[in-house]
Structures are given as structure tokens and as C-alpha cells.
Amino acid sequence: MNKIGLLVVVLLFLVPQSHAVGKCGKDFIVIENVEMSLVLSTDGKAISLKHKPTGQECLEKGTNYPVFALTEFRPYDNELFLTYPAKPRTFAADTLWREGNSLKVGFEEIAYTATISLNITNDYIGFKLTALDYEIEKFGIKRRTEIDEFTLLQLPVKKRRYFGEWLNVEWDDKVAVNVLATDEFARIDAFDKGSCRLLYAGMDNRVKLMNVGAALITTTKEKLLDRIEQLERDYQLPLGVESRRQEAYKYSYYELRNVTTENIDKHIAFARKGGFKMMVIYYVDFAKSMGHFNWRTNYPNGMKDLQTITQKIKDAGMIPGFHIHYNKAAKNDTYVSPVPDARLNLRRIFTLADSIGVEASTIQVEENPEGCTMENGRRLLKIGNELVSYSGYTTQPPYQFTGCRRGELGTTVKAVEKGFKFGLLDVDTWPLFIRFDQKTNIQNEVGERIGRICQEAGFEFIYFDGAEDVHPPYWYNVPKAQLEVYNNLNPDPVCSEGATKSHFSWHMITRGNAFDLFQPEYIREATQKYPMYAAEYTAQDFTSINFGWNDYLAPDSSSTGMQPDMYEYICSRAAAWDCPIALMGKLQELEKHPRTADNLAVVRNWEEVRINDLLTKEQKEELKNPDQEHILLKNEDEKFELIPYQQLDGMSEDLRAFWFRRDGKTWVVYWHVRGEARLHLPIAAGKIQLLKQPGVEMNLNQEGEGAIVPVGDRRFLILDVPPRKVKDLWMQATLP
């Protein structure tokens, strides 16, 4: 070990443990609180990050990454661009010193000095860029140059068992190292460097450069959320930790479809049977369009009707939630038609190469249209206040949009002069909506409208649907759009979900996401591939997902519909990671399905077990096996038993059955998919028991040498024979 290294080790050993301080030495700077000690060299490198209580070193030694840096998309300094090629170039910190509670940083080859203010607390250490000073030389052609990106903090953290990509935390059972934003403007990322992960916080000048912050937390797994909660309160962020700790965080929800004041009572009755404690209203049920949310005709009293529905939900002991789109306007909304709002986003800008009259069907432009979408429903140009569709374009001069239809979506056709600038409208992929320009105030305007609806209706849960429908930079605009809605909600929702999230979304989208609907015949495969994988992945961010959305479909000629074993599988896998589910409340399907009572009983049982945390750690691990299915049995004493079971092959697709072992006997749970029937089993009636449910026996009829078993609702058979014999009996059974 060299002399400098030995000196660092000795000084680290002597660092006091009691309070948050910062120190400077000849060749290093120590920034510490009661839990961590960060040692930086005076040339801007990270030497050490110690977790004091355990003494664990959290940084990978032998790396040479600068803690601070700045990037220009090409060299802007006159002498530098005469030397280097026109491509992004990063200038690393090469000088570092401390002045009070600020770090001063100099950079190689460029005359900037950055001031990074420190906020040292016993929960975290905050970093914020508060000044950038530029020294102009007395010779040469010099000017203060632009900075495109700034690296505020960059640490080569040793890999641990888990990495939460969303929260940006490396952790195991002993230590957690977290670099996170203290405002929505910091870009948080991590880069895999083999044996270490480079945890990064920085800024993009296209978003915001100055007075942007990030924080470093080094603590134990058990204390991490406490530290983040304090940071959220100190920096007045949405309270993501508090949300995750609320009782309602555990609740699954019944997603209403086509709800009105006339049918809400029926929906509530079904939701109660499923044990749901939350009901969610989709805005399309009461609003004609996304944007201005004008009332549909089936809500003649407007907000009063919506309040009637939400009050009934509350009176039933459930939480009313709101499923919204929020970052785009429907094509039929007044933001789009008949006069398109100037704040709708344009994906590309074009210049008219020639004037166009009101009859023109070809539009000549200066720029090459190559790459413009050719998807149906998305081919829209916004020329002033007129919307124009096109069927094609040329990619060789003269550049043209061809097959143009004027005055689309009820807009007014106008002649336009040569040189006019216009754009390719940002139509989403549905394609039912037009995305907002997030650089304008339209998002906040809609956020205020949504906030009023939530407050007046009493919504306490929010689903941010279509969160992907923003323009770049996505790391910023995804949470920015969510935040502009969230800041208008009063009170804050108990929890939220969303389709897409970025780092800062962690404070708002506290329960991950729900997946779109899967067909009954593929529900197991889809659950394994998507929600199960996502739940395990997102658990590393101390967050659950929603094992939904789950469709509710009655059987028909082409499908078995959703059956009790399917909900058993979904709910059991969700419980493995303490995740809720969501059920689509389609009233017509619920009323038509012959096994609705059984389906909802399955969901209700799992809700009770999961919400009350009745599963052991070992049982949860068992449920993570995708190939072994389980039944949650409510036994004779009204207690729950978790039992592995396997499907029985039978003579009819209308009969579903599963066997399991209990008390030394073979049990069969079975039901009819579509209705009612009678099953003939080649075994004497006296050798089997028929149960409506454990503890409630039913009579059996003898017919010849066999037993006649009713098939309809979910029932149980108990046979004092081994599973192999039961399988044989089932294969020989018939439906007369």
C-alpha cells in the first residue's frame, strides 16, 4: 500500500461516529454522517464509501471514474473544437476542494469551476449544483461555452444480491446504497461495469441544469425506507414511502365497466363477494372524451351522478378510485376539434416549399419526410388550425406529402403561403389520442381539471394509464406529466399505479403497474411470463405490482371463460410477492357466468389471507414456483390451508377437476365449466364422500355399481384411495 493509501486507512479509522460532518485533508475530502463516510480525492475520484455500523466498504477499488464531470455535445471552446472532432465529449473533474458546506470542482481542459452545495443529514447526504463559474483566458478567442450535461454524482458501487433499477439502489440483507433524485429534474441511472455498478445522478441542460439535486443514502435494508421517507419530507416530494405503508396499499380492486347510478348497486354486490376493498371508475364511463371530460348523456346530472356512485362505494366500505388518461387529448375533444390547440405536440417540423390552395391534395416541403409514420390513424399534419391526413410521401426531391385529405376531424380548410412552418401531429399508437407538448402548460391545465374531478367526486386512488404517451426525454417527461397531475390532487391518493414509470415516479406510482388482459386459455403462461417476472423484478425496488388486469369472461362456444382454477393461480402467484390483483367488473359477464360465485369466493379467500398476512415466508417461497399450483382451502374450522394440487384429465372439457392429498386421503375439487350435469363414477357410493365445502356433506346416489355425482358449482370428493386410482377413475367416468 502506498503512503497516501495508508494515510486514508488510518484517518478513516479515526473518523468520529456521532454526527454529520465533513472534513478535508491534503489529498482527500471526507463527507460523512452517522451511517456513512464518503472519501473523495482532491482530483475528483471516489476513494471509499463505508457503511459505519458494519464497516463494509461499498465502493469497488481500483476504478478511475470521476465523481463529477460535464459534457458538451461537441467541443464549444474555440481552441478545443479546432482540435477535437464534433461529437459528445466529457470533461472529467480533475480538481476538488471544500469550502464550508460546498465542494468546488475544476475540470480537465475546460475553464469551468462548479459549486456543489452539500446537505449533510443523518439520513442522507444531498448534492446540488448551485454555481458554474467560467474563467476567460487573456489570449485566444474565448467565450463562456454551453454545457449540455452535468454529472452531479457518480460512484462505482460494489454489486450486491439485489439491484432496484427503478429506485436506483444496490442492496442485500446487510447494506443498501441508494443514489436518488431530490427533485424531478435530476436524471438518475446506473451502468453495469462488471464487478461494480456505476450509480449516476446528473442533469440535462434541455431540461434544467442549475439548482438540481440528488442524494446519497447508505444504510441497512431495514432502514432504507425510513431514510427515503425523511428525504421526501425534507424536499417536499410526494410521500411514496408513506403510501407503501398504508393498509390500503394491500387492497385489490374491482375495475368498474359501464357503471351508472342505476347499476352501481349490482356492481357493489359482486365486489363484496370478491372481498374487494377498492373500486375503480374508468373515466370513459362518464366522460365523452379525454381532455375536457364533458359529461356523457347517461350522467344527466353530471358530477352529482358521479358523487352518487362514489358515495355508494364509500358506504359499502370501499375506496373509490379513478382510472385516467391524462397526458393526451382524445380526437373528439375540443383540444383537437374543430380548432386544434397550439399546445398539442408535433413530432417533426416541415416548411412549405410552395403555397397550397384549398383544393390541394399534394403538399410540397423543403425537408425529407422519410421516417414519418405510415400507420393508419396516425398520419396527420397540423398546418395552422387545419388537420390534414396523407396517404404517402416521397423521399427524393421534390419532397411531398401525397394523397392529402384536407380539413380532417372537422377542422377548417385554408390556403397557406410558401414558407409556412407546420408539423407532424403526435398521434398515439391506439390511435385515439393526440399527445400534449410537455414544454407547455397544457399538462398542468388538464391536471387542474383532473384534480377538481377527484376532489369533488372523492377519488382516493389513481391509475395513470397511457403514461408512455409523452415525447422525449422520457426519463423526465414520464414523471413530469404524472407530477403535474399529482400536485393538483387534494388530498394525496392513498396509492397510485401507472402504465410506465421513471425514477422520480417512484414517489407517486407506489404500486407499480397492471398488465393488459390475457385470454383464459393462456392465462397461466401469460402470468408466468409477465406479472410473475415483473413482481420479482420490481420487489427489488421495495414495491409491489398489480397482478391485473384480469378479465371477467363467461364461457362461450370458443372459450371456457375464466374459471376458479385460473383465479386461484393468479391470486396465489400474486400473494407470493404480496401483490394485489385487479378484476374487470363486466356486469353482463358476471351475471351470465354459471361459476361467478365460485370465482369470487376464490378471490375473496386470497384477499383475506394476503391482506392479513396469514402466509408464512416458506409458503410464499413455495408459491413462487410457476409449475406447482395450489388451492387455498377453507377448512371445517374456517381456517385456511394452502395445499398443492394437480389437474385431473377427464372425458369432457366441460368438467374441470384437481386432486390433492389431505389427512391421508385423496381429495378432488371439481365443477362444471358451463352449467349443470351428472357424473357417473365407477366406484360404490359408500366408498366416497361428497362435500359442498369442507365440513358440509352432501348425499350421493348409487346407480348400478357406480355413484352418480352432481356436477355444477365447485364441490369436493373425498376418496380413500391413492392418487393413481383416482386418475383411473376419472378417466373412466362419464357424463350421461
Side-chain angles (χ1 to χ4, degrees):
M1 180 180 292
N2 60 33
K3 292 181 179 179
I4 292 176
L6 181 60
L7 178 62
V8 170
V9 171
V10 171
L11 288 169
L12 284 176
F13 182 76
L14 295 174
V15 165
Q17 308 289 305
S18 59
H19 57 283
V21 299
K23 291 187 173 185
C24 292
K26 184 177 181 182
D27 298 299
F28 61 89
I29 295 168
V30 180
I31 307 167
E32 64 178 350
N33 65 15
V34 294
E35 282 195 297
M36 63 175 150
S37 174
L38 175 63
V39 182
L40 308 178
S41 67
T42 53
D43 63 351
K45 306 296 191 301
I47 297 175
S48 173
L49 175 61
K50 282 279 185 70
H51 179 242
K52 291 181 180 180
T54 62
Q56 288 199 27
E57 174 59 60
C58 300
L59 297 188
E60 182 74 8
K61 295 304 180 91
T63 65
N64 197 39
Y65 301 109
V67 180
F68 314 104
L70 57 84
T71 298
E72 296 177 342
F73 291 159
R74 68 162 177 83
Y76 300 131
D77 179 272
N78 190 71
E79 278 63 51
L80 291 181
F81 72 65
L82 292 172
T83 303
Y84 299 121
K87 64 179 184 179
R89 193 169 194 86
T90 296
F91 300 92
D94 64 358
T95 308
L96 180 65
W97 71 97
R98 179 166 182 165
E99 295 180 0
N101 258 347
S102 295
L103 297 177
K104 296 288 187 176
V105 187
F107 302 89
E108 57 189 10
E109 295 192 281
I110 194 164
Y112 268 106
T113 300
T115 300
I116 298 174
S117 297
L118 300 174
N119 180 18
I120 303 173
T121 76
N122 284 330
D123 294 286
Y124 56 84
I125 297 174
F127 300 78
K128 179 187 286 188
L129 178 64
T130 52
L132 275 170
D133 299 309
Y134 189 79
E135 182 180 352
I136 298 178
E137 295 175 349
K138 296 179 180 179
F139 55 89
I141 302 173
K142 296 291 185 180
R143 54 176 287 276
R144 183 184 179 95
T145 62
E146 296 89 347
I147 293 174
D148 294 302
E149 295 176 351
F150 190 90
T151 299
L152 181 63
L153 187 65
Q154 186 171 246
L155 297 174
V157 175
K158 288 181 180 179
K159 287 184 177 177
R160 296 182 178 269
R161 182 175 180 183
Y162 303 107
F163 173 61
E165 183 179 13
W166 182 13
L167 184 55
N168 202 45
V169 58
E170 195 79 45
W171 63 280
D172 57 20
D173 290 338
K174 300 295 184 182
V175 175
V177 181
N178 185 197
V179 172
L180 71 167
T182 56
D183 55 59
E184 68 269 33
F185 304 109
R187 181 162 65 89
I188 301 298
D189 211 335
F191 308 98
D192 194 328
K193 299 296 181 180
S195 60
C196 70
R197 209 178 306 272
L198 203 59
L199 299 189
Y200 170 92
M203 292 86 85
D204 186 330
N205 196 33
R206 292 167 296 186
V207 173
K208 184 175 169 62
L209 199 68
M210 299 303 301
N211 296 305
V212 174
L216 171 66
I217 296 173
T218 305
T219 186
T220 61
K221 167 196 169 185
E222 289 74 21
K223 294 179 180 178
L224 177 64
L225 291 184
D226 292 337
R227 303 291 177 258
I228 296 174
E229 182 173 26
Q230 188 59 53
L231 181 146
E232 289 177 330
R233 295 184 184 280
D234 290 349
Y235 286 92
Q236 297 182 318
L237 308 182
L239 300 178
V241 174
E242 181 180 280
S243 171
R244 287 168 173 83
R245 287 173 166 170
Q246 293 205 44
E247 174 71 13
Y249 187 75
K250 305 174 185 178
Y251 297 165
S252 295
Y253 61 83
Y254 177 107
E255 172 100 2
L256 290 154
R257 282 295 182 265
N258 302 315
V259 64
T260 65
T261 55
E262 287 77 23
N263 64 27
I264 180 59
D265 291 329
K266 290 183 179 180
H267 280 293
I268 288 173
F270 282 120
R272 279 175 161 167
K273 290 178 181 177
F276 291 100
K277 294 180 180 292
M278 187 180 293
M279 298 185 79
V280 176
I281 299 174
Y282 195 13
Y283 77 94
V284 297
D285 280 357
F286 65 81
K288 291 180 180 179
S289 66
M290 163 56 213
H292 286 86
F293 299 98
N294 294 320
W295 297 99
R296 287 188 177 276
T297 55
N298 58 345
Y299 281 70
N301 301 306
M303 178 54 72
K304 185 177 180 181
D305 287 341
L306 185 57
Q307 289 171 334
T308 296
I309 291 171
T310 54
Q311 188 59 52
K312 281 178 175 287
I313 293 171
K314 291 180 180 181
D315 291 344
M318 289 180 268
I319 293 172
F322 194 20
H323 175 170
I324 56 169
H325 291 130
Y326 60 99
N327 49 20
K328 53 195 178 182
K331 287 181 178 179
N332 65 332
D333 191 78
T334 51
Y335 276 127
V336 179
S337 174
V339 179
D341 196 286
R343 298 167 296 175
L344 299 176
N345 193 51
L346 303 177
R347 301 175 65 194
R348 298 266 296 272
I349 301 296
F350 295 94
T351 308
L352 280 179
D354 198 0
S355 60
I356 56 172
V358 294
E359 301 294 331
S361 60
T362 298
I363 298 174
Q364 190 168 325
V365 294
E366 296 285 354
E367 300 83 1
N368 189 345
E370 186 170 4
C372 287
T373 182
M374 286 300 297
E375 292 183 77
N376 291 334
R378 301 186 71 198
R379 302 191 300 269
L380 281 178
L381 304 172
K382 181 178 181 293
I383 306 177
N385 287 332
E386 181 188 356
L387 299 183
V388 179
S389 64
Y390 59 89
S391 61
Y393 50 74
T394 63
T395 57
Q396 297 294 328
Y399 300 123
Q400 298 175 335
F401 286 96
T402 59
C404 296
R405 293 180 56 181
R406 309 291 297 279
E408 292 281 26
L409 301 181
T411 57
T412 301
V413 180
K414 288 186 178 180
V416 186
E417 293 298 316
K418 176 181 177 179
F420 189 83
K421 296 281 188 181
F422 68 95
L424 174 66
L425 201 59
D426 193 358
V427 183
D428 84 337
T429 54
W430 285 59
L432 302 173
F433 306 91
I434 314 298
R435 295 169 179 146
F436 296 151
D437 184 346
Q438 294 296 331
K439 297 184 294 295
T440 70
N441 71 339
I442 190 172
Q443 185 63 75
N444 186 63
E445 181 176 291
V446 173
E448 290 176 349
R449 193 172 293 123
I450 291 172
R452 288 194 296 271
I453 292 172
C454 288
Q455 187 172 39
E456 291 179 32
F459 290 124
E460 300 175 37
F461 164 89
I462 299 290
Y463 191 93
F464 289 91
D465 203 354
E468 69 278 7
D469 286 312
V470 294
H471 54 80
Y474 300 114
W475 68 264
Y476 171 66
N477 280 325
V478 166
K480 178 262 184 192
Q482 294 164 345
L483 185 62
E484 292 206 38
V485 175
Y486 196 95
N487 284 341
N488 282 290
L489 302 178
N490 185 22
D492 293 344
V494 293
C495 59
S496 303
E497 297 173 4
T500 305
K501 66 267 187 184
S502 187
H503 169 75
F504 195 78
S505 303
W506 190 90
H507 305 288
M508 299 171 284
I509 310 302
T510 57
R511 210 165 64 174
N513 59 283
F515 284 85
D516 280 319
L517 308 178
F518 302 118
Q519 296 175 349
E521 284 69 26
Y522 302 102
I523 196 68
R524 286 171 173 79
E525 179 183 351
T527 299
Q528 293 170 17
K529 185 175 182 180
Y530 295 112
M532 287 184 70
Y533 174 78
E536 183 175 17
Y537 192 75
T538 308
Q540 298 176 102
D541 295 294
F542 300 84
T543 301
S544 69
I545 70 159
N546 192 313
F547 268 64
W549 295 311
N550 296 291
D551 213 347
Y552 199 88
L553 296 174
D556 58 24
S557 59
S558 62
S559 173
T560 63
M562 292 295 291
Q563 297 293 327
D565 59 294
M566 299 174 188
Y567 290 114
E568 198 92 59
Y569 188 80
I570 295 163
C571 293
S572 63
R573 303 311 106 164
W577 283 279
D578 299 312
C579 292
I581 73 158
L583 184 74
M584 288 296 171
K586 297 179 177 179
L587 201 56
Q588 184 177 358
E589 299 293 312
L590 285 158
E591 292 175 335
K592 183 171 62 174
H593 201 313
R595 301 286 83 83
T596 287
D598 291 322
N599 284 333
L600 295 179
V602 167
V603 175
R604 182 178 65 248
N605 288 345
W606 279 105
E607 281 296 284
E608 184 175 343
V609 164
R610 187 177 48 77
I611 290 173
N612 292 294
D613 199 22
L614 300 181
L615 295 174
T616 66
K617 182 179 179 180
E618 291 73 22
Q619 286 174 322
K620 291 178 183 178
E621 287 301 314
E622 185 180 341
L623 292 173
K624 292 178 182 179
N625 179 358
D627 300 319
Q628 178 58 68
E629 300 194 42
H630 296 76
I631 184 172
L632 186 63
L633 187 71
K634 203 166 193 179
N635 66 23
E636 298 84 352
D637 299 321
E638 295 291 304
K639 303 293 185 182
F640 289 107
E641 298 179 23
L642 182 68
I643 306 173
Y645 73 167
Q646 296 182 28
Q647 189 164 6
L648 283 169
D649 294 324
M651 83 307 297
S652 171
E653 292 184 357
D654 288 340
L655 180 65
R656 291 179 86 85
F658 293 76
W659 70 267
F660 56 93
R661 295 287 289 176
R662 183 173 183 258
D663 297 333
K665 296 183 179 181
T666 304
W667 286 53
V668 176
V669 56
Y670 73 98
W671 64 92
H672 198 287
V673 168
R674 302 175 189 278
E676 306 286 337
R678 299 194 322 152
L679 177 70
H680 182 271
L681 279 174
I683 185 173
K687 295 184 178 180
I688 59 176
Q689 285 180 275
L690 173 64
L691 306 179
K692 183 176 182 180
Q693 61 191 49
V696 180
E697 192 165 355
M698 300 176 66
N699 294 327
L700 277 169
N701 295 322
Q702 182 82 27
E703 187 174 286
E705 296 182 356
I708 297 297
V709 178
V711 184
D713 294 339
R714 198 164 75 145
R715 298 183 178 94
F716 298 87
L717 290 172
I718 304 176
L719 302 93
D720 195 8
V721 296
R724 179 183 55 80
K725 178 65 173 176
V726 172
K727 293 177 184 178
D728 292 340
L729 286 171
W730 215 257
M731 291 299 294
Q732 298 169 31
T734 58
L735 286 174

